[in-house]
Amino acid sequence: MLSSLTEALRQVMAFDGVRAAALIDIATGMVVGSVGEQGTDFPAAAASMADEVRTARGVAGFGRLGGDLDEISLVTKGRLHISKVLGSRPGEGMLLYVDLDRARVNLGLASLQIGRLAPAVLA
Amino acid sequence: MTTEGSEDGPAGPLREALTVCAAAGMSGTLRVTGHPGGAIHLVDGRVVAIETPGAPSPEVLLLRSHRITESDWDTAFAAAAVAGGRMSAELIAREMVGSGELEGVLRTALADAMFVLASGTVEEYRSEPGPVDFVLPVEPGAETEWLLAETSRRIRVLASLPDRYDLNRVMAAPGAAARPGARLVESQDEILALADGRRTPRDIAFALGQGVFATILQLARLREADLLVTASRRMTERDRREPGHQAPGDEPGSPSKLPRRQRDRSALLRNPKTAELRAPLRLLQPRFGRSPGSGETP
C-alpha cells in the first residue's frame, strides 16, 4: 500500500527536471515524506530549509514584504530549490520542497506548476 | 537496568528491540517500561502508533490546536464506531482534514512520541504480538529506519543547543517584562504566557497542541532572545502526584527563586486561546470507547 502523501509527491515528480520532492514540517525540520534522488544529507538540508522559512517569516512578519510568506526559491549553479509554504495546523505549517535540475527548467514556470499542485499534497 | 537516552540516539536496547521487531515483521505492541514509558504499536514490522504520556497523541494535536473542533471529532468518532470503520477515513470523508495533511500530523506525532521515549529512561521492554487497536494509526506504518534516524537527528539537535533542555525542566518567562518592546510572533506570545515557572516543555506542548520537540525548539529561541529562563528545578514525580505540593522557594510570601513575569495573568486573560486553559480541559478526561493511556496528559 502506498501512502496518499507519497502518491501526491509522485505527481510532483512527473514535472520535467524534478530530482526530488519532499514534505517538510517547518516546526521541527523533519522530512515527513519524500520521493526521488536524496543524498545522505537530505534530512539536514530539509531542516535548513525550515530554518530559512523561519528567518524569512521574521522579516516578512512585520508587513514589510507585502503579505505572508508563500515561497522561497534558492538558485545554485546547477539546481533550483523551490520551497512552497503550505498552511497546516498544528504547528508552523508544512513545506513542499522541490529540487530541480536548473538546465532543464525555467524558474517562473516551475514555480507556477508547483504552486498549482501544492494544495493537492495535503488534500 | 535503566538506560538513559544518549547522543547516539534512542537508548540502545530500545533501538535494538525495535529493529528486531521490524525485521521479524511483527504485528503487535512493544511495551516500554520507564519514564515516561509507553507502547510502540507495529503492523507487519512497521510502526503505526506510539502511545506515551510524555507526548501529545494525534488526537490532542488535532483538537488542542483547533484544527478539528471537539464536536466534529465526536461526530466522526460516533459515526466510525457505528459503521465499524476507521476514524481516519471518517475524518477525511467529512472533509475535516485532508488525507496528506492527516498523514503529516500522524507521522509528526509518531516521531515526537519516539523522541520522548528515547529521551527518557527505559527500564525494560517486552514485545506482545497480537492485534493493534489504535484510534488513528499511520497507514501504511512508518519504517523503523526513518523513525530511528529522525529520533537520532532530534537528539543531536537538542544536544547542539546552547543550554540543556529537559522535558521535565520548568520554564519561566521573566525576560518579557524587562523587554516590553520585544517583537513577538503570535505563537511566541502564547508560549510566554504559558511559561509561568510551573509548566514544563511537555506541559506547554500539551496545552498548545503541538509536539514536545517543536516546543523545545521554540523555547530555545525565546531563551536565546533573553525572553525566557530555564528554571533551577525540575518537575518531579512528587510534584505530579501532589498537585498542591509547592517546591522550595514557591511558598506564598517567601522570596521566589524564580522571577515571575507580572503580566502573565493579564496575558492569559487577554489571549482567548490561552484563556481557555484556565478551565478544566474536557479533552484531558477519559472518553468512552477510547483505549487507556492514549498519550494524554494525566
Side-chain angles (χ1 to χ4, degrees), chain B residues 157-218:
Chain B
V157 169
L158 207 64
S160 73
L161 296 173
D163 288 301
R164 186 164 174 270
Y165 288 88
D166 187 316
L167 273 54
N168 295 314
R169 196 168 290 275
V170 175
M171 306 298 289
R179 295 181 56 181
R183 295 188 303 190
L184 300 171
V185 298
E186 188 190 346
S187 62
Q188 288 182 319
D189 206 20
E190 286 172 2
I191 285 190
L192 286 179
L194 288 165
D196 59 356
R198 299 199 69 83
R199 289 188 178 90
T200 65
R202 174 198 168 281
D203 298 335
I204 295 171
F206 270 88
L208 292 176
Q210 62 180 33
V212 174
F213 180 68
T215 303
I216 290 175
L217 293 183
Q218 285 174 312

Short mmCIF file of all heavy atoms in Angstrom, two decimals, chain B residues 157-218:
data_model
loop_
_atom_site.label_atom_id
_atom_site.label_comp_id
_atom_site.label_asym_id
_atom_site.label_seq_id
_atom_site.Cartn_x
_atom_site.Cartn_y
_atom_site.Cartn_z
N VAL B 157 20.18 17.53 17.59
CA VAL B 157 19.80 18.95 17.58
C VAL B 157 19.70 19.48 19.01
O VAL B 157 20.21 20.54 19.34
CB VAL B 157 18.46 19.17 16.82
CG1 VAL B 157 17.93 20.58 17.03
CG2 VAL B 157 18.63 18.90 15.34
N LEU B 158 19.07 18.67 19.85
CA LEU B 158 18.88 19.06 21.26
C LEU B 158 20.24 19.24 21.95
O LEU B 158 20.44 20.20 22.70
CB LEU B 158 18.08 17.95 21.96
CG LEU B 158 17.26 18.36 23.16
CD1 LEU B 158 16.17 19.32 22.73
CD2 LEU B 158 16.62 17.13 23.81
N ALA B 159 21.16 18.32 21.66
CA ALA B 159 22.49 18.38 22.27
C ALA B 159 23.28 19.59 21.78
O ALA B 159 24.18 20.08 22.47
CB ALA B 159 23.25 17.09 21.97
N SER B 160 22.93 20.09 20.56
CA SER B 160 23.69 21.21 19.99
C SER B 160 23.19 22.56 20.50
O SER B 160 23.81 23.59 20.24
CB SER B 160 23.60 21.17 18.47
OG SER B 160 22.29 21.56 18.06
N LEU B 161 22.06 22.59 21.21
CA LEU B 161 21.53 23.86 21.71
C LEU B 161 22.46 24.39 22.82
O LEU B 161 23.06 23.60 23.55
CB LEU B 161 20.11 23.67 22.25
CG LEU B 161 19.05 23.27 21.22
CD1 LEU B 161 17.73 22.97 21.90
CD2 LEU B 161 18.87 24.36 20.18
N PRO B 162 22.56 25.72 22.92
CA PRO B 162 23.49 26.28 23.91
C PRO B 162 23.16 25.92 25.36
O PRO B 162 24.06 25.80 26.18
CB PRO B 162 23.39 27.79 23.68
CG PRO B 162 22.21 28.00 22.79
CD PRO B 162 21.94 26.74 22.08
N ASP B 163 21.89 25.75 25.67
CA ASP B 163 21.52 25.35 27.03
C ASP B 163 21.00 23.93 27.00
O ASP B 163 20.56 23.45 25.97
CB ASP B 163 20.43 26.27 27.59
CG ASP B 163 20.99 27.63 27.90
OD1 ASP B 163 21.92 27.70 28.72
OD2 ASP B 163 20.52 28.61 27.29
N ARG B 164 20.98 23.32 28.16
CA ARG B 164 20.44 21.98 28.23
C ARG B 164 18.93 22.08 28.41
O ARG B 164 18.46 22.76 29.32
CB ARG B 164 21.09 21.23 29.39
CG ARG B 164 20.69 19.78 29.45
CD ARG B 164 21.61 18.97 30.34
NE ARG B 164 21.09 17.62 30.45
CZ ARG B 164 20.25 17.25 31.40
NH1 ARG B 164 19.87 18.10 32.32
NH2 ARG B 164 19.80 16.01 31.43
N TYR B 165 18.20 21.45 27.52
CA TYR B 165 16.75 21.46 27.64
C TYR B 165 16.27 20.09 28.07
O TYR B 165 16.70 19.08 27.55
CB TYR B 165 16.08 21.89 26.33
CG TYR B 165 16.30 23.35 26.09
CD1 TYR B 165 17.44 23.78 25.42
CD2 TYR B 165 15.44 24.29 26.61
CE1 TYR B 165 17.69 25.13 25.25
CE2 TYR B 165 15.68 25.64 26.45
CZ TYR B 165 16.81 26.05 25.77
OH TYR B 165 17.05 27.38 25.60
N ASP B 166 15.43 20.10 29.05
CA ASP B 166 14.97 18.87 29.66
C ASP B 166 13.46 18.85 29.56
O ASP B 166 12.80 19.87 29.77
CB ASP B 166 15.43 18.91 31.13
CG ASP B 166 15.17 17.60 31.83
OD1 ASP B 166 14.08 17.05 31.65
OD2 ASP B 166 16.06 17.16 32.58
N LEU B 167 12.92 17.70 29.23
CA LEU B 167 11.46 17.60 29.07
C LEU B 167 10.73 17.94 30.37
O LEU B 167 9.59 18.36 30.35
CB LEU B 167 11.08 16.18 28.66
CG LEU B 167 11.10 15.87 27.16
CD1 LEU B 167 12.42 16.20 26.51
CD2 LEU B 167 10.74 14.43 26.91
N ASN B 168 11.42 17.75 31.49
CA ASN B 168 10.76 17.96 32.78
C ASN B 168 11.23 19.23 33.50
O ASN B 168 10.92 19.42 34.66
CB ASN B 168 10.99 16.75 33.68
CG ASN B 168 10.33 15.53 33.11
OD1 ASN B 168 9.18 15.59 32.69
ND2 ASN B 168 11.06 14.44 33.04
N ARG B 169 12.03 20.05 32.81
CA ARG B 169 12.51 21.25 33.47
C ARG B 169 11.50 22.37 33.30
O ARG B 169 10.99 22.59 32.21
CB ARG B 169 13.87 21.67 32.91
CG ARG B 169 14.60 22.65 33.80
CD ARG B 169 16.03 22.79 33.36
NE ARG B 169 16.82 21.61 33.62
CZ ARG B 169 17.41 21.36 34.79
NH1 ARG B 169 17.32 22.20 35.78
NH2 ARG B 169 18.10 20.26 34.96
N VAL B 170 11.26 23.05 34.38
CA VAL B 170 10.26 24.11 34.39
C VAL B 170 10.80 25.35 33.68
O VAL B 170 11.97 25.68 33.81
CB VAL B 170 9.88 24.45 35.84
CG1 VAL B 170 8.93 25.62 35.90
CG2 VAL B 170 9.26 23.24 36.51
N MET B 171 9.94 26.00 32.89
CA MET B 171 10.37 27.20 32.17
C MET B 171 9.64 28.42 32.73
O MET B 171 8.46 28.34 33.06
CB MET B 171 10.04 27.07 30.68
CG MET B 171 10.58 25.83 30.01
SD MET B 171 12.38 25.68 30.00
CE MET B 171 12.83 26.96 28.84
N ALA B 172 10.36 29.53 32.81
CA ALA B 172 9.73 30.76 33.29
C ALA B 172 10.10 31.90 32.33
O ALA B 172 11.10 31.84 31.64
CB ALA B 172 10.21 31.09 34.70
N ALA B 173 9.26 32.90 32.31
CA ALA B 173 9.45 33.98 31.35
C ALA B 173 9.52 35.35 32.01
O ALA B 173 8.61 36.14 31.90
CB ALA B 173 8.31 33.96 30.33
N PRO B 174 10.60 35.64 32.73
CA PRO B 174 10.70 36.95 33.36
C PRO B 174 11.24 38.00 32.40
O PRO B 174 11.11 39.18 32.63
CB PRO B 174 11.71 36.71 34.48
CG PRO B 174 12.61 35.66 33.93
CD PRO B 174 11.79 34.82 32.97
N GLY B 175 11.85 37.56 31.33
CA GLY B 175 12.53 38.50 30.42
C GLY B 175 11.59 39.39 29.66
O GLY B 175 11.93 40.51 29.31
N ALA B 176 10.38 38.89 29.39
CA ALA B 176 9.46 39.66 28.54
C ALA B 176 9.08 40.98 29.19
O ALA B 176 8.97 42.00 28.52
CB ALA B 176 8.22 38.83 28.26
N ALA B 177 8.89 40.94 30.51
CA ALA B 177 8.51 42.16 31.21
C ALA B 177 9.64 43.18 31.14
O ALA B 177 9.42 44.38 31.06
CB ALA B 177 8.17 41.84 32.66
N ALA B 178 10.87 42.64 31.15
CA ALA B 178 12.02 43.53 31.10
C ALA B 178 12.23 44.11 29.70
O ALA B 178 12.92 45.09 29.53
CB ALA B 178 13.27 42.75 31.52
N ARG B 179 11.63 43.48 28.73
CA ARG B 179 11.79 43.96 27.35
C ARG B 179 10.43 44.14 26.71
O ARG B 179 10.02 43.38 25.84
CB ARG B 179 12.63 42.96 26.54
CG ARG B 179 14.04 42.83 27.05
CD ARG B 179 14.83 41.85 26.22
NE ARG B 179 14.82 42.21 24.82
CZ ARG B 179 15.42 41.49 23.88
NH1 ARG B 179 16.06 40.40 24.20
NH2 ARG B 179 15.38 41.85 22.62
N PRO B 180 9.71 45.18 27.14
CA PRO B 180 8.34 45.34 26.63
C PRO B 180 8.29 45.59 25.13
O PRO B 180 7.27 45.37 24.51
CB PRO B 180 7.82 46.54 27.42
CG PRO B 180 9.02 47.27 27.91
CD PRO B 180 10.10 46.23 28.08
N GLY B 181 9.39 46.07 24.57
CA GLY B 181 9.39 46.37 23.13
C GLY B 181 9.72 45.16 22.27
O GLY B 181 9.80 45.28 21.06
N ALA B 182 9.94 44.00 22.91
CA ALA B 182 10.34 42.83 22.15
C ALA B 182 9.28 42.45 21.13
O ALA B 182 8.09 42.44 21.44
CB ALA B 182 10.61 41.66 23.10
N ARG B 183 9.73 42.14 19.92
CA ARG B 183 8.78 41.78 18.87
C ARG B 183 8.54 40.27 18.90
O ARG B 183 9.47 39.49 18.80
CB ARG B 183 9.34 42.20 17.50
CG ARG B 183 9.48 43.69 17.37
CD ARG B 183 9.83 44.08 15.97
NE ARG B 183 11.05 43.44 15.50
CZ ARG B 183 11.66 43.78 14.37
NH1 ARG B 183 11.14 44.71 13.61
NH2 ARG B 183 12.76 43.18 14.00
N LEU B 184 7.29 39.92 19.04
CA LEU B 184 6.95 38.50 19.14
C LEU B 184 5.98 38.13 18.04
O LEU B 184 5.15 38.93 17.65
CB LEU B 184 6.29 38.22 20.49
CG LEU B 184 7.09 38.52 21.75
CD1 LEU B 184 6.18 38.39 22.96
CD2 LEU B 184 8.27 37.58 21.87
N VAL B 185 6.09 36.90 17.56
CA VAL B 185 5.04 36.41 16.69
C VAL B 185 3.99 35.78 17.59
O VAL B 185 4.24 35.52 18.77
CB VAL B 185 5.57 35.40 15.64
CG1 VAL B 185 6.59 36.07 14.74
CG2 VAL B 185 6.16 34.18 16.31
N GLU B 186 2.83 35.52 17.02
CA GLU B 186 1.68 35.11 17.83
C GLU B 186 1.97 33.89 18.71
O GLU B 186 1.69 33.86 19.90
CB GLU B 186 0.50 34.80 16.91
CG GLU B 186 -0.79 34.54 17.65
CD GLU B 186 -1.87 34.00 16.73
OE1 GLU B 186 -1.68 34.09 15.50
OE2 GLU B 186 -2.86 33.51 17.24
N SER B 187 2.59 32.86 18.11
CA SER B 187 2.80 31.63 18.87
C SER B 187 3.79 31.84 20.02
O SER B 187 3.69 31.19 21.06
CB SER B 187 3.30 30.52 17.94
OG SER B 187 4.54 30.88 17.37
N GLN B 188 4.73 32.77 19.84
CA GLN B 188 5.70 33.04 20.92
C GLN B 188 5.00 33.66 22.12
O GLN B 188 5.32 33.39 23.26
CB GLN B 188 6.81 33.96 20.41
CG GLN B 188 7.76 33.28 19.46
CD GLN B 188 8.88 34.19 19.01
OE1 GLN B 188 8.65 35.36 18.75
NE2 GLN B 188 10.08 33.66 18.94
N ASP B 189 4.03 34.51 21.83
CA ASP B 189 3.29 35.15 22.89
C ASP B 189 2.53 34.11 23.71
O ASP B 189 2.47 34.17 24.94
CB ASP B 189 2.31 36.18 22.29
CG ASP B 189 1.99 37.29 23.28
OD1 ASP B 189 2.78 37.46 24.22
OD2 ASP B 189 0.95 37.94 23.11
N GLU B 190 1.97 33.14 23.01
CA GLU B 190 1.24 32.07 23.69
C GLU B 190 2.17 31.27 24.59
O GLU B 190 1.82 30.92 25.71
CB GLU B 190 0.60 31.13 22.65
CG GLU B 190 -0.62 31.71 21.96
CD GLU B 190 -1.10 30.84 20.81
OE1 GLU B 190 -0.51 29.77 20.56
OE2 GLU B 190 -2.05 31.26 20.14
N ILE B 191 3.34 30.99 24.08
CA ILE B 191 4.30 30.20 24.87
C ILE B 191 4.76 30.99 26.10
O ILE B 191 4.84 30.45 27.20
CB ILE B 191 5.51 29.80 23.99
CG1 ILE B 191 5.06 28.68 23.05
CG2 ILE B 191 6.67 29.34 24.85
CD1 ILE B 191 6.17 28.02 22.30
N LEU B 192 5.03 32.27 25.91
CA LEU B 192 5.47 33.09 27.06
C LEU B 192 4.38 33.15 28.13
O LEU B 192 4.67 33.13 29.32
CB LEU B 192 5.84 34.50 26.60
CG LEU B 192 7.16 34.62 25.84
CD1 LEU B 192 7.40 36.06 25.41
CD2 LEU B 192 8.33 34.13 26.69
N ALA B 193 3.14 33.20 27.69
CA ALA B 193 2.03 33.23 28.65
C ALA B 193 1.95 31.93 29.43
O ALA B 193 1.56 31.91 30.59
CB ALA B 193 0.71 33.50 27.92
N LEU B 194 2.35 30.84 28.79
CA LEU B 194 2.27 29.53 29.44
C LEU B 194 3.53 29.22 30.27
O LEU B 194 3.48 28.41 31.19
CB LEU B 194 2.07 28.43 28.39
CG LEU B 194 0.68 28.41 27.75
CD1 LEU B 194 0.68 27.55 26.49
CD2 LEU B 194 -0.37 27.90 28.73
N ALA B 195 4.65 29.84 29.92
CA ALA B 195 5.90 29.58 30.64
C ALA B 195 5.89 30.38 31.94
O ALA B 195 6.50 31.43 32.06
CB ALA B 195 7.10 29.96 29.78
N ASP B 196 5.15 29.85 32.91
CA ASP B 196 4.89 30.61 34.13
C ASP B 196 5.75 30.17 35.30
O ASP B 196 5.47 30.51 36.45
CB ASP B 196 3.40 30.48 34.49
CG ASP B 196 3.01 29.02 34.72
OD1 ASP B 196 3.87 28.15 34.50
OD2 ASP B 196 1.86 28.77 35.09
N GLY B 197 6.75 29.37 35.05
CA GLY B 197 7.59 28.92 36.15
C GLY B 197 7.08 27.64 36.79
O GLY B 197 7.68 27.13 37.73
N ARG B 198 5.97 27.14 36.31
CA ARG B 198 5.44 25.87 36.84
C ARG B 198 5.29 24.81 35.76
O ARG B 198 5.21 23.64 36.05
CB ARG B 198 4.08 26.10 37.51
CG ARG B 198 4.12 27.06 38.69
CD ARG B 198 2.93 26.91 39.58
NE ARG B 198 2.96 25.64 40.30
CZ ARG B 198 3.63 25.45 41.43
NH1 ARG B 198 4.37 26.43 41.94
NH2 ARG B 198 3.60 24.29 42.02
N ARG B 199 5.21 25.26 34.51
CA ARG B 199 5.00 24.30 33.43
C ARG B 199 6.32 23.84 32.80
O ARG B 199 7.24 24.63 32.64
CB ARG B 199 4.12 24.91 32.33
CG ARG B 199 2.68 25.09 32.72
CD ARG B 199 1.86 25.52 31.51
NE ARG B 199 0.45 25.66 31.83
CZ ARG B 199 -0.10 26.79 32.26
NH1 ARG B 199 0.65 27.86 32.43
NH2 ARG B 199 -1.38 26.85 32.53
N THR B 200 6.33 22.58 32.41
CA THR B 200 7.49 22.02 31.72
C THR B 200 7.23 22.14 30.21
O THR B 200 6.10 22.42 29.79
CB THR B 200 7.65 20.53 32.07
OG1 THR B 200 6.50 19.84 31.56
CG2 THR B 200 7.75 20.32 33.57
N PRO B 201 8.28 21.93 29.39
CA PRO B 201 8.05 21.93 27.93
C PRO B 201 6.93 20.97 27.52
O PRO B 201 6.14 21.26 26.64
CB PRO B 201 9.40 21.47 27.38
CG PRO B 201 10.40 21.90 28.38
CD PRO B 201 9.71 21.76 29.71
N ARG B 202 6.89 19.83 28.21
CA ARG B 202 5.83 18.85 27.92
C ARG B 202 4.45 19.45 28.20
O ARG B 202 3.52 19.32 27.39
CB ARG B 202 6.05 17.61 28.78
CG ARG B 202 4.95 16.58 28.69
CD ARG B 202 5.03 15.61 29.87
NE ARG B 202 3.82 14.81 29.94
CZ ARG B 202 2.66 15.22 30.44
NH1 ARG B 202 2.54 16.46 30.90
NH2 ARG B 202 1.62 14.43 30.46
N ASP B 203 4.32 20.12 29.33
CA ASP B 203 3.02 20.73 29.69
C ASP B 203 2.61 21.76 28.64
O ASP B 203 1.44 21.85 28.26
CB ASP B 203 3.11 21.43 31.05
CG ASP B 203 3.43 20.47 32.18
OD1 ASP B 203 3.14 19.27 32.04
OD2 ASP B 203 3.99 20.92 33.20
N ILE B 204 3.57 22.56 28.20
CA ILE B 204 3.28 23.62 27.22
C ILE B 204 2.87 23.00 25.88
O ILE B 204 1.95 23.46 25.22
CB ILE B 204 4.50 24.56 27.07
CG1 ILE B 204 4.75 25.30 28.39
CG2 ILE B 204 4.29 25.56 25.93
CD1 ILE B 204 6.05 26.09 28.44
N ALA B 205 3.55 21.90 25.52
CA ALA B 205 3.22 21.21 24.26
C ALA B 205 1.78 20.70 24.30
O ALA B 205 1.03 20.86 23.33
CB ALA B 205 4.19 20.06 24.03
N PHE B 206 1.40 20.10 25.43
CA PHE B 206 0.03 19.59 25.56
C PHE B 206 -0.98 20.74 25.51
O PHE B 206 -2.04 20.62 24.90
CB PHE B 206 -0.14 18.82 26.88
CG PHE B 206 0.16 17.35 26.76
CD1 PHE B 206 1.46 16.88 26.92
CD2 PHE B 206 -0.83 16.44 26.48
CE1 PHE B 206 1.75 15.53 26.80
CE2 PHE B 206 -0.55 15.09 26.35
CZ PHE B 206 0.74 14.63 26.53
N ALA B 207 -0.66 21.84 26.17
CA ALA B 207 -1.59 22.96 26.23
C ALA B 207 -1.83 23.56 24.85
O ALA B 207 -2.95 23.95 24.52
CB ALA B 207 -1.06 24.02 27.18
N LEU B 208 -0.77 23.64 24.03
CA LEU B 208 -0.91 24.28 22.72
C LEU B 208 -1.28 23.29 21.61
O LEU B 208 -1.59 23.71 20.49
CB LEU B 208 0.40 24.99 22.35
CG LEU B 208 0.77 26.21 23.19
CD1 LEU B 208 2.13 26.75 22.78
CD2 LEU B 208 -0.29 27.31 23.04
N GLY B 209 -1.21 22.00 21.91
CA GLY B 209 -1.50 21.01 20.87
C GLY B 209 -0.42 20.98 19.82
O GLY B 209 -0.68 21.02 18.63
N GLN B 210 0.82 20.91 20.27
CA GLN B 210 1.94 20.79 19.33
C GLN B 210 2.97 19.84 19.93
O GLN B 210 2.91 19.50 21.11
CB GLN B 210 2.54 22.15 19.02
CG GLN B 210 3.12 22.87 20.23
CD GLN B 210 3.71 24.24 19.86
OE1 GLN B 210 3.20 24.91 18.97
NE2 GLN B 210 4.75 24.63 20.55
N GLY B 211 3.91 19.42 19.12
CA GLY B 211 4.88 18.43 19.56
C GLY B 211 5.81 18.96 20.65
O GLY B 211 6.02 20.16 20.78
N VAL B 212 6.35 18.02 21.43
CA VAL B 212 7.27 18.39 22.50
C VAL B 212 8.59 18.92 21.92
O VAL B 212 9.13 19.93 22.39
CB VAL B 212 7.55 17.16 23.42
CG1 VAL B 212 8.62 17.48 24.46
CG2 VAL B 212 6.27 16.72 24.11
N PHE B 213 9.08 18.26 20.86
CA PHE B 213 10.34 18.70 20.26
C PHE B 213 10.19 20.11 19.66
O PHE B 213 11.05 20.97 19.85
CB PHE B 213 10.78 17.70 19.18
CG PHE B 213 12.07 18.05 18.50
CD1 PHE B 213 13.28 18.01 19.20
CD2 PHE B 213 12.10 18.41 17.16
CE1 PHE B 213 14.48 18.33 18.57
CE2 PHE B 213 13.30 18.73 16.53
CZ PHE B 213 14.49 18.69 17.24
N ALA B 214 9.08 20.33 18.95
CA ALA B 214 8.83 21.65 18.37
C ALA B 214 8.76 22.71 19.47
O ALA B 214 9.27 23.82 19.32
CB ALA B 214 7.52 21.63 17.58
N THR B 215 8.16 22.35 20.59
CA THR B 215 8.03 23.28 21.71
C THR B 215 9.40 23.60 22.30
O THR B 215 9.70 24.77 22.60
CB THR B 215 7.12 22.67 22.80
OG1 THR B 215 5.86 22.37 22.21
CG2 THR B 215 6.91 23.63 23.96
N ILE B 216 10.24 22.58 22.44
CA ILE B 216 11.58 22.81 22.99
C ILE B 216 12.37 23.76 22.07
O ILE B 216 13.06 24.66 22.55
CB ILE B 216 12.34 21.48 23.18
CG1 ILE B 216 11.70 20.69 24.33
CG2 ILE B 216 13.82 21.71 23.46
CD1 ILE B 216 12.29 19.31 24.54
N LEU B 217 12.24 23.59 20.75
CA LEU B 217 12.94 24.48 19.82
C LEU B 217 12.45 25.92 19.97
O LEU B 217 13.24 26.86 19.95
CB LEU B 217 12.75 24.01 18.37
CG LEU B 217 13.38 22.67 17.98
CD1 LEU B 217 13.15 22.39 16.51
CD2 LEU B 217 14.88 22.66 18.28
N GLN B 218 11.14 26.07 20.14
CA GLN B 218 10.59 27.42 20.32
C GLN B 218 11.08 28.03 21.63
O GLN B 218 11.42 29.21 21.69
CB GLN B 218 9.06 27.38 20.29
CG GLN B 218 8.50 27.18 18.89
CD GLN B 218 7.00 26.99 18.90
OE1 GLN B 218 6.47 26.21 19.68
NE2 GLN B 218 6.31 27.69 18.02
#
